[in-house]
Amino acid sequence: MGQQEKVSTSLAGAVAEDISASLAPVDAELARRYPGDPGTRQPVHTVYVPGDAYDAGTIRSWGDQALAALDEHAPDAATLARVLGLPADLAEPVYTRVRAKLEREPVEDLRVDFEDGYHGRDEDADAARAARLVSEAYAGGTAAPYTGIRMKCMEAAVRDRGIRTTDVFLTGLMERGGLPGGLVLTLPKVTYPEQVTAFVRLLEAFEKTHGPDAGRIGFEIQIETSQAILAADGTATVARMIGAAEGRATGLHYGTFDYSACLGVSAAHQASDHPAADHAKAIMQVAAAGTGVRVSDGSTNVLPVGGTERVHEAWRLHYGLTRRALARAYYQGWDMHPGHLPTRYAAVFAFYREGMEAAAARLAAYVARTEGDIMDEPATAKALSGYLLRGLDCGALDDAEVAGLTGLTRAELDAFARPRRGGLTATAR
């Protein structure tokens, strides 16, 4: 062994102590504002069903309609691959998994809608019925992993109605055993942070009345106005909205058509890949980074209905938009019709399966510290493990195949995906 190097320092220990003391408020602020990913599953989509149309068979009906669309317009893997441009080696695995998903879990996130999609005449009764049906679905094991409502917004004209519907729905859940673990609320058309604060006060009042743990009820903020992105003073309103939620914000959802219309984009060009949409979602993404708040893309209003040629055109559009969003790290979107489900899952499954082996090999090499043609950083290891975990969560990948390729258990992948602040440990083991 060579001679050990002499180590010398010039500064007294008090210097480091003073610096740490001066930064203690910053450390606390970092931990509060940027806790990192919550480590929970993020659904790949949200399905909206009008409150007056929602019933006990809604989820199964969507799955059956999606399967019927496949049977009619893409009865085998080769047909779907030809329509969507899937590589030959992915055609059968993707098609098989899409059908299995539609049979087992066709909807990952369901929102009973009492806003734009609602046209009922008795909102109280429909909200109470929704609470009963949601409670029964969770009790019977037939609920989507995530379920909740979208109420009317906090603007003056509909504020009282939105507050009352929220109260009726949440009260109905409490009367039937309590709030389900997958409960999600969506607050639409938010323009000012003060509207977010007002909704927080509403949820606080409900929790004090019924006794759920303080902060138990979270909600998504729907971004549908230009003012939600850029305030009059030039600041990013959406960043202030996350703060105004006081830790309750779970997601930022982009509203394609309301936001586009707000900017004056003509109806023919209102789409999730419009430059105005890209700008808004980029601001949302930066504002949410590190906060634990997830970003969701919007939807397409081109429905896969009619003859086979028309359905195929709509499928290609939806598939392309979904793949584009995934590449930009928007891992969730909206689906407006049962016919969108086959291409939602085809796009998601293809995205994860085509990159599985390369991601697994890079992560395994990182763990083993082996040489390769790519030198990965700890942050990349975090992204690689997060990619594989998302694939596992939605059913695109299987535990056994990921473990076989990486040599890592699910718990070890979690450790890489959600490291302690300040960097990853040497290995996840």
Side-chain angles (χ1 to χ4, degrees):
M1 295 180 62
Q3 183 177 359
Q4 188 172 4
E5 292 289 341
K6 178 184 177 182
V7 177
S8 301
T9 62
S10 302
L11 302 176
V15 173
E17 292 174 4
D18 288 346
I19 290 174
S20 292
S22 71
L23 289 176
V26 172
D27 295 338
E29 185 74 350
L30 279 170
R32 184 181 71 84
R33 287 189 178 273
Y34 302 103
D37 189 87
T40 55
R41 173 182 178 181
Q42 182 180 9
V44 303
H45 69 171
T46 301
V47 163
Y48 282 82
V49 176
D52 50 323
Y54 172 61
D55 61 34
T58 291
I59 292 177
R60 188 62 265 154
S61 174
W62 273 62
D64 290 344
Q65 290 179 68
L67 285 166
L70 273 181
D71 289 339
E72 181 176 358
H73 304 294
D76 52 52
T79 303
L80 188 66
R82 185 171 63 253
V83 172
L84 303 181
L86 289 171
D89 62 326
L90 285 180
E92 193 62 44
V94 166
Y95 189 81
T96 300
R97 286 171 185 270
V98 168
R99 292 197 69 95
K101 181 75 170 181
L102 295 175
E103 291 167 356
R104 182 187 75 255
E105 188 183 73
V107 175
E108 290 196 358
D109 186 25
L110 176 68
R111 207 68 72 250
V112 184
D113 191 17
F114 290 95
E115 204 231 357
D116 285 349
Y118 179 72
H119 301 291
R121 296 184 177 181
D122 190 342
E123 191 162 333
D124 277 357
D126 287 334
R129 184 171 59 89
R132 175 178 59 81
L133 292 173
V134 168
S135 294
E136 291 173 354
Y138 274 103
T142 60
Y146 297 93
T147 307
I149 65 168
R150 177 171 69 169
M151 69 295 296
K152 290 176 174 62
C153 68
M154 289 288 105
E155 293 181 355
V158 294
R159 183 183 302 139
D160 288 347
R161 183 65 259 179
I163 291 172
R164 183 172 175 84
T165 295
T166 303
D167 187 8
V168 169
F169 178 72
L170 293 177
T171 300
L173 293 178
M174 293 301 297
E175 291 174 345
R176 291 171 173 80
L179 306 179
L183 174 67
V184 185
L185 303 178
T186 302
L187 180 64
K189 292 182 175 60
V190 183
T191 304
Y192 282 79
E194 289 81 2
Q195 294 168 329
V196 174
T197 300
F199 198 64
V200 170
R201 299 287 90 82
L202 169 64
L203 298 180
E204 284 178 343
F206 186 87
E207 289 169 347
K208 288 177 181 177
T209 300
H210 289 276
D213 294 338
R216 161 69 177 81
I217 308 173
F219 61 96
E220 302 162 337
I221 301 169
Q222 207 159 351
I223 305 300
E224 301 176 272
T225 68
S226 60
Q227 296 90 345
I229 295 297
L230 189 68
D233 62 1
T235 59
T237 317
V238 65
R240 294 170 56 208
M241 289 177 179
I242 293 173
E246 300 177 16
R248 293 179 185 265
T250 60
L252 301 175
H253 283 228
Y254 176 69
T256 304
F257 305 104
D258 281 290
Y259 186 86
S260 299
C262 183
L263 267 64
V265 179
S266 63
H269 297 284
Q270 292 176 0
S272 61
D273 59 351
H274 190 280
D278 285 340
H279 172 261
K281 286 180 286 188
I283 299 298
M284 292 163 59
Q285 189 175 50
V286 173
T291 65
V293 178
R294 272 87 174 255
V295 174
S296 173
D297 197 4
S299 60
T300 175
N301 60 0
V302 179
L303 305 184
V305 296
T308 294
E309 183 177 350
R310 184 182 179 89
V311 169
H312 285 179
E313 289 177 358
W315 274 355
R316 279 190 288 269
L317 173 65
H318 186 240
Y319 179 86
L321 290 173
T322 304
R323 287 302 305 262
R324 183 180 189 273
L326 289 167
R328 287 158 174 77
Y330 307 133
Y331 298 114
Q332 185 176 354
W334 302 5
D335 288 327
M336 300 181 69
H337 187 274
H340 284 142
L341 299 185
T343 37
R344 170 67 61 182
Y345 291 123
V348 170
F349 293 172
F351 175 74
Y352 290 111
R353 293 204 66 79
E354 70 185 16
M356 173 182 63
E357 292 187 5
R362 287 176 65 180
L363 187 56
Y366 178 86
V367 173
R369 292 296 193 273
T370 57
E371 295 286 338
D373 59 355
I374 300 176
M375 180 64 71
D376 285 321
E377 298 289 337
T380 304
K382 175 182 176 181
L384 291 167
S385 55
Y387 171 87
L388 295 172
L389 286 167
R390 289 179 183 278
L392 289 169
D393 284 342
C394 69
L397 312 178
D398 295 329
D399 287 320
E401 61 184 346
V402 171
L405 290 167
T406 62
L408 300 173
T409 65
R410 172 71 189 237
E412 290 168 337
L413 287 172
D414 280 330
F416 274 108
R418 288 168 273 277
R420 297 190 303 270
R421 180 173 295 281
L424 288 155
T425 52
T427 71
R429 295 182 183 280

